[in-house]
Amino acid sequence: MTQLLYAEIKLNTGSEEEFLDLIRSPLGLPLTKSMTGFISAETAMSKDETGQSTFHLWEKWKNMADFENYMASPNRDPECDFMQKWTGMMSDAPRMVFPELLLV
C-alpha cells in the first residue's frame, strides 16, 4: 500500500537558504529520489505571523518498509554529517505524520 509522509520542519532564523542548499545537495532530495520505493516529493516553505519559517515536505513511497529502509541507510543515520547539519538548522523537533490515503 502506498505510504504518504508529511513533515513540518521549523527552521532557525536566518537558516532558510542554507537549509535549502542542503536539501538540494547530492545527499539531500537527489539521494532520496534514488532510493528503492520512492515515488515523489513536494516541498514548500512558509512563514507565520511571528516570522517563523517552516519547511514542508510531502513524500510518497511504495510502502512503509521502503521508507523505513531509506531512513535506516547510513546517509540518514542521526550521527552522519548530513543529518547533523539538518537537525542543527531546526528550531524544534520535526513534526512527521503518515496520513492514510483516502479514495474519494
Side-chain angles (χ1 to χ4, degrees):
M1 178 178 190
T2 303
Q3 182 64 56
L4 184 64
L5 159 68
Y6 171 69
E8 288 181 356
I9 301 163
K10 294 188 182 300
L11 301 176
N12 294 329
T13 303
S15 67
E16 296 87 355
E17 287 305 315
E18 184 180 3
F19 187 82
L20 291 176
D21 289 344
L22 184 65
I23 295 301
R24 294 176 182 131
S25 75
L27 292 177
L29 280 175
L31 173 73
T32 304
K33 292 176 179 183
S34 74
M35 299 301 290
T36 300
F38 174 84
I39 297 172
S40 65
E42 298 291 333
T43 61
M45 189 76 77
S46 67
K47 194 172 279 203
D48 70 14
E49 63 280 351
T50 69
Q52 171 71 59
S53 292
T54 302
F55 178 78
H56 303 268
L57 173 65
W58 296 264
E59 288 180 357
K60 192 180 285 187
W61 292 83
K62 285 188 179 179
N63 54 57
M64 185 58 125
D66 286 333
F67 174 76
E68 289 171 345
N69 289 334
Y70 159 66
M71 291 305 294
S73 69
N75 289 309
R76 292 301 177 257
D77 182 296
E79 301 302 316
C80 78
D81 188 51
F82 177 87
M83 293 304 288
Q84 289 293 306
K85 289 178 184 175
W86 170 279
T87 57
M89 289 183 257
M90 293 181 192
S91 65
D92 202 356
R95 178 176 172 253
M96 294 178 62
V97 179
F98 296 91
E100 183 178 337
L101 294 171
L102 302 175
L103 299 175
V104 292

